Structures are given as C-alpha cells and as structure tokens.
Amino acid sequence: MINQWVKYYKWRILNPVIQCAVCKIPSTLLVCNHCYAELELNLQPYCNYCAKPGSSICTDCQGQHPCFSHTYCCYTYSTPLNKILHDLKYKRNKSNIWALGYLLNKALSSVKADTDFIVPMPLSNERIKQRGFNHALELLAYYCAQLKHIPVKTNIVSKIIDTPHQSGLNRQERIYQQPLFQVEKNIMGKNILIVDDVITTGNTANNLARVLREAGARRVELCALMRTL
C-alpha cells in the first residue's frame, strides 16, 4: 500500500492539473463533477446478493443464493466507463487507471469495517501472460494509495482453470460447475471481500466464494466497479 501511495502522490505532484478521464477537460479531479453526474449509477434498490436492479433480492437469487452474501456496486455497465475499462483490459491502456480506481473506491467506502482482507479476482497464469497484468488488482491501486485499513492480498487464492465459455450453460449448471480456484493460505474464520471489474451473472465470483467458504471463510462479499443490466 505504501508503494501505491508514493506512486499516486508523486504522479499528482507532477500533474497538479489533470484531464478528466471522461471529457478530457483539465480538472483537479480524476472525473470532473459534470461527468460524474452523467454516469449511470446502479441505484438502490438492487439485489443484496448480485446487485441486479429492481428489488432487495432478485428472482434468481431467491431460487439459489450465491455463496457471497452481499455485493457492492455503484455503476452500470455503460458508456463511457465500459469503454475505459475495455481499453485497460484489451488495449493495455492504463492512462485512466487512477480514475477507475477512484470510482471503485466509492463502492469500497461502504464495505464492512470487520472485513479482514480484500482479494482481487485472480486470473490464470495463461491469462496473466496474455494480458500482462491483473486488471482487478490494477483497479485497487487508488484504494491502496489512500492507505485504507483493509489489506489487499494476492497470495490467498490462485486460479487453476481458465473460466470456460458459459453461454451454453443454464444458471444451475453455471453455479455448480467444477472449482476454478485453489486456496493457498489459512483463511479459517476470516471475512473476505472479492473485488472484480464487472458482475454479469456472478458465476465466477460465486465459484470463488464457494471455494473460500469451503476453506473456512466466515463471510465472503463481492465488490464490482460495474453491473451489467
């Protein structure tokens, strides 16, 4: 966390006036007030489990509760955030990484104080080689730069199988597919927060949460930057 603090504030000292990540107009904010007001928020009420808008529990989660007990998510998967995220993940464009982290931080500010640590959604070694970095970890750079009290840990769990193509599976099959992750450390009795970029069906996060719960985690929650509609 100290390294990210030094990196961020060194950047801000060298760039006291920056461009808004959305409109590119010079600003002292990572996302200017005008552009922030234009973002599509994932407004309450939304499902406490998967953050799907509409009610405190959606029909899918009524039928089968996920293994994570709550989701924090402030924004919908829409322009311009989806394009900025796409450029990060597939074009390796990190120019707006602080801005994305700044927006994610608004959701993280609501996380329960007794959370023991944050786990960025792991990628397989093959995916890391293809992309060059873990985007979920990159999104947490701003959070780490604020020296918050919840540590971010990358050695708790590893992804052992690439996520399969799931479009041909029904929801029940997706929930109970084989474990994609392996727990590497003792997490007995811990309260854990998974952080990812986008929640769509929540299947991968549910798979990870199930593995964490089976390894003894007391509570697993999810925080995502965006929710698809």
Side-chain angles (χ1 to χ4, degrees):
M1 288 190 180
I2 294 293
N3 289 339
Q4 292 294 350
W5 182 88
V6 171
K7 184 177 179 181
Y8 175 71
Y9 284 101
K10 181 179 179 180
W11 176 71
R12 286 311 306 260
I13 289 171
L14 294 174
N15 300 275
V17 177
I18 57 179
Q19 286 186 337
C20 167
V22 179
C23 68
K24 307 304 180 184
I25 294 176
S27 173
T28 57
L29 300 172
L30 293 163
V31 178
C32 72
N33 290 328
H34 173 76
C35 289
Y36 185 81
E38 296 295 317
L39 297 179
E40 292 190 22
L41 302 181
N42 192 36
L43 297 174
Q44 298 276 11
Y46 61 66
C47 178
N48 291 324
Y49 289 99
C50 71
K52 184 178 181 180
S55 64
S56 60
I57 181 168
C58 69
T59 54
D60 284 340
C61 292
Q62 278 182 334
Q64 179 66 56
H65 289 180
C67 293
F68 49 87
S69 58
H70 188 78
T71 294
Y72 307 87
C73 185
C74 288
Y75 313 97
T76 65
Y77 188 77
S78 56
T79 304
L81 292 188
N82 56 356
K83 183 182 185 305
I84 296 174
L85 181 64
H86 183 274
D87 287 349
L88 168 67
K89 293 172 67 174
Y90 302 109
K91 297 183 180 179
R92 301 188 180 187
N93 181 355
K94 295 186 180 183
S95 62
N96 291 316
I97 192 62
W98 293 119
L100 290 173
Y102 166 77
L103 295 173
L104 176 67
N105 200 50
K106 292 184 178 295
L108 288 169
S109 65
S110 301
V111 170
K112 295 179 178 65
D114 65 344
T115 301
D116 290 295
F117 49 80
I118 294 171
V119 174
M121 178 64 72
L123 295 181
S124 66
N125 290 334
E126 181 179 351
R127 192 66 58 87
I128 288 286
K129 289 178 182 177
Q130 291 174 352
R131 190 165 292 167
F133 57 88
N134 182 339
H135 57 279
L137 180 59
E138 294 290 329
L139 290 175
L140 284 162
Y142 181 89
Y143 177 82
C144 293
Q146 309 309 302
L147 300 181
K148 302 291 185 180
H149 72 285
I150 303 176
V152 175
K153 296 193 176 184
T154 60
N155 63 345
I156 298 298
V157 62
S158 58
K159 191 169 188 181
I160 55 176
I161 300 175
D162 265 327
T163 305
H165 184 62
Q166 299 184 7
S167 61
L169 302 179
N170 62 39
R171 188 171 190 272
Q172 197 72 7
E173 290 171 332
R174 290 169 178 171
I175 290 173
Y176 290 107
Q177 64 179 296
Q178 63 180 318
L180 308 174
F181 303 92
Q182 178 174 293
V183 175
E184 307 289 353
K185 301 290 182 179
N186 181 7
I187 59 170
M188 186 65 63
K190 299 298 184 181
N191 296 322
I192 302 172
L193 178 73
I194 302 166
V195 167
D196 204 359
D197 56 344
V198 179
I199 179 171
T200 304
T201 61
N203 298 321
T204 303
N206 188 65
N207 194 295
L208 174 55
R210 185 172 74 248
V211 170
L212 293 171
R213 291 294 304 275
E214 289 174 351
R218 184 174 70 170
R219 186 184 72 223
V220 180
E221 297 185 312
L222 173 65
C223 181
L225 176 64
M226 289 179 275
R227 177 61 159 101
T228 59
L229 299 179

